[in-house]
């Protein structure tokens, strides 16, 4: 049994085939005529074919190559095969228990798998039933959702209709009997929503609309009446003296601005009446307040300059002037700031708002230049105008649209985002502030037209530009036209004052006015820093040209050319020094570079000083008591000669001898004359240095000519050495 099982497992092996082949090959002669397995006889051709095939086998080929007897080899193979089969059978027999257990386990697994298949098939049937139930539940759920949605929609529509049509007793009580406060405002908005709903439902087939209409109309009239009385009462409170308008606007009007919006929406006649009463009341309030304030400022002004303080005018003892209809006669003038800028520039650079408290200033007996008063008036006007403009925009401009619910209005919708609203706000603001602006403009105009303080007027111009930028930064355009009119008043007056200064220089006598010009031009340039105003620079050039004409007229009255140059150098040096002082004083902290606004003017006078200094030094060398004109003339003529031998040697010796006798006296006289002629020690030392330099240059040129003339020749006179002259000059050179 085991052998049969093994044969069935192993089958016919290749070894059996090889043994059969070897046996057939070893009995080749007996094969001829042999029969096949099916009983047919083999032909010789078939035998040869079989032998050829077997010869290709590796084992057969190896046996034939070694000359092995094929019969013996076949028997050996057969024995080995039987041994292998026997070993396999024994191995199977030894492990038949395991194989039998494995077969049993396979049978058990097969049974378990069959049970699982049955279980899963049951699950599939159950799942199919559940799927059917789920589909049924889903259809029922969709049907329920649809019915719920329809019921909710109907409920919302019904609630909306009820909210819009039902007037509760509490609403009637608060509107008709309640005081105007936050609760009244809340119920008023509810009433407005109901009115908006009823208006929107016009034409709808709702029977209750006919019943609710008359009731809403009666409540509209009652609420409009109460709102009108409330707003007019609060506005009337502005007529009380010393009333703080901002408190009433913020706490009573803006807080309840929706009351006015309701009037504007539901009762426009009452809204127009409230608006008209407000504009009239506030118009009078601002006009009276600014009249009082400006009159109080009159006594606080310090007069800086009048007609007698033009650059070319003699010292004045004070003149009376009128400002805003009030005489300023007898007020003392601040003469230290007539032409210079000084501390007056603080009105521009200080971060303080600059609004003057008149009662405090009167108690402390403070005085202010006009630009400080101008700044105070304009800042006060700007603050009040900005506050009023914002109030008008937030109170009178309703964001509600016809039929629109106020509950849908957001905070962002309160901004003026349309040209129509902006135009309306500007119109209301103009109606309120027009008399005040006209009064302020006329008051400022009275002073400006009679002012001779060019520095003060220019400061006002700069302040006005600053204020215009501030209003643009606030995005409030209400004062733009007013500020442009101020510019139109200020600039022509500034040009007129410049023309008066120029005219005064044309008519001036022999008085010293250069320092006035220097201080004045430095102040003008300082106020032009950062503006680069061409009109301003042109006016300053005109004034400078007139100063030059005045100086040249004064020079013509002096016969000596040297004295003329001294006059011109002293005046130009004064202007340059003042400009330089202002330039250094204006240098920002931590910087070594002064502002560039002074560069062009400084450059003009610096070039003039350099050019006139050279001319003056030549005149000084020729005009001093120990004149060196002989040396200068001789050098100039000698250098024109190509051959110095044609010149008389005695002439060289005479010049050298004359210089040897007076050179120390020349140095002393130059020192004394120049330093006495120029009060500015630094300027005098600079010119003296230039004079010494020119003297040394001429003497060096003479020594060169002298050496060329007497090369290899004897000389009777030995000129003093150049180093000796330099040492003597150093002894007399002033130090600073």
């Amino acid at each position: 049994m085991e052998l049969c099982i093994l044969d069935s497992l192993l089958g016919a092996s290749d070894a059996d085939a090889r043994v059969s082949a070897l046996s057939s090959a070893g009995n080749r002669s007996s094969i001829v005529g042999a029969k096949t397995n099916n009983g047919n006889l083999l032909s010789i051709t078939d035998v040869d074919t079989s032998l050829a095939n077997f010869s290709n086998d590796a084992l057969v080929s190896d046996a034939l190559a070694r000359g092995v007897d094929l019969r013996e080899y076949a028997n050996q193979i057969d024995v080995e095969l039987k041994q292998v089969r026997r070993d396999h059978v024994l191995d199977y027999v030894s492990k038949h228990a395991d194989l039998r257990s494995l077969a049993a386990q396979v049978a058990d697994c097969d049974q378990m798998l069959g049970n699982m298949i049955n279980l899963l098939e049951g699950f599939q049937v159950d799942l199919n039933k559940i799927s059917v139930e789920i589909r049924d539940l889903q259809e029922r759920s969709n049907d329920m959702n649809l019915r719920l949605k329809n019921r909710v929609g109907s409920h919302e529509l019904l609630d909306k209709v009820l909210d819009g049509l039902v007037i509760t007793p509490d609403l009637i009580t608060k509107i008709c009997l309640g005081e105007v406060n936050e609760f009244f405002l809340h119920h008023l908005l509810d009433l407005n929503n109901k009115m908006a709903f009823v208006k929107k439902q016009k034409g709808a087939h709702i029977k209750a609309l006919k019943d609710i209409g008359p009731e809403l109309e009666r409540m509209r009239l009652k609420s409009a009446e109460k709102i009108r009385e409330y707003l007019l009462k609060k506005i009337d409170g502005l007529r009380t003296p010393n009333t703080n308008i901002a408190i009433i606007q913020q706490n009573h009007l803006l807080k309840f601005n929706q009351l006015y919006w309701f009037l504007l929406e539901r009762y426009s006649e009452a809204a127009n009446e409230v608006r008209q009463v407000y504009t009239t009341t506030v118009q009078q309030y601002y006009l009276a307040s600014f009249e009082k304030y400006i009159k109080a400022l009159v006594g606080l002004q310090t007069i800086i300059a009048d007609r007698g303080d033009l650059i070319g005018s003699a010292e004045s003892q004070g003149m009376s002037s009128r400002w805003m209809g009030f005489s300023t006669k007898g007020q003392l003038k601040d003469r230290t700031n007539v032409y210079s800028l000084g501390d007056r520039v603080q009105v521009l650079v200080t971060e303080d708002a600059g609004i003057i408290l008149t009662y405090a200033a009167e108690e402390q007996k403070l005085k202010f230049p006009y630009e400080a008063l101008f700044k105070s008036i304009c800042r006060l006007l700007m603050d009040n105008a900005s506050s009023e403009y914002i109030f008008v925009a937030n109170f009178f401009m309703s964001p509600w649209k016809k039929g629109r619910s106020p509950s849908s209005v957001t905070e962002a919708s309160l901004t003026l985002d349309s040209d129509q609203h902006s135009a309306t706000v500007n119109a209301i603001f103009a109606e309120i502030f027009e008399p005040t602006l006209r009064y302020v403009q006329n008051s400022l105009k009275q002073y400006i037209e009679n002012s001779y303080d060019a520095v003060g007027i220019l400061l006002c111009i700069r302040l006005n530009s600053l204020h215009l930028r501030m209003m643009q930064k606030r995005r409030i355009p209400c004062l733009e036209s007013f500020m442009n009119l101020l510019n139109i008043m200020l600039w022509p007056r500034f040009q007129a004052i410049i023309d008066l200064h120029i005219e005064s220089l044309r008519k001036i006598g022999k008085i010293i006015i250069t320092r006035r010009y220097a201080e004045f031009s430095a102040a003008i340039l300082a106020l032009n820093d950062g503006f680069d105003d061409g009109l301003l620079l042109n006016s300053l050039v005109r004034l400078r040209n007139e100063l030059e004409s005045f100086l040249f007229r004064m020079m013509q009255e002096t016969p000596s050319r040297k004295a003329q140059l001294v006059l011109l150098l002293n005046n130009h040096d004064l202007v340059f020094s003042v400009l330089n002082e202002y330039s250094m004083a204006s240098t920002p902290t931590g910087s070594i570079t002064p502002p560039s606004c002074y560069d062009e003017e400084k450059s003009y006078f610096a070039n003039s000083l350099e050019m006139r200094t050279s001319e003056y030094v030549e005149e000084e060398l020729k005009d001093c008591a120990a004149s060196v004109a002989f040396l200068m003339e001789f050098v100039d003529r000698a250098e024109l000669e190509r051959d110095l031998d044609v010149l008389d040697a005695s002439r060289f010796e005479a010049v050298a001898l004359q210089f040897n006798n007076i050179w120390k006296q020349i140095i002393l006289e130059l020192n004394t004359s120049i330093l006495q002629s120029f009060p500015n020690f630094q300027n005098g030392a600079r010119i003296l240095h230039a004079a010494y330099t020119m003297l040394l240059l001429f003497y060096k040129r003479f020594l060169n000519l002298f050496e060329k003339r007497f090369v290899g020749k004897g000389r009777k006179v030995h000129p003093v050495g150049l180093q000796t002259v330099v040492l003597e000059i150093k002894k007399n050179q002033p130090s600073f």
Side-chain angles (χ1 to χ4, degrees), residues 11-24:
S13 64
D14 293 338
D16 294 336
R18 294 189 184 96
V19 171
S20 299
L22 291 173
S23 298
S24 300

Side-chain angles (χ1 to χ4, degrees), residues 159-170:
D159 285 345
K160 188 175 181 180
V161 171
L162 291 176
D163 289 340
L165 296 179
V166 175
I167 302 177
T168 63
D170 183 60

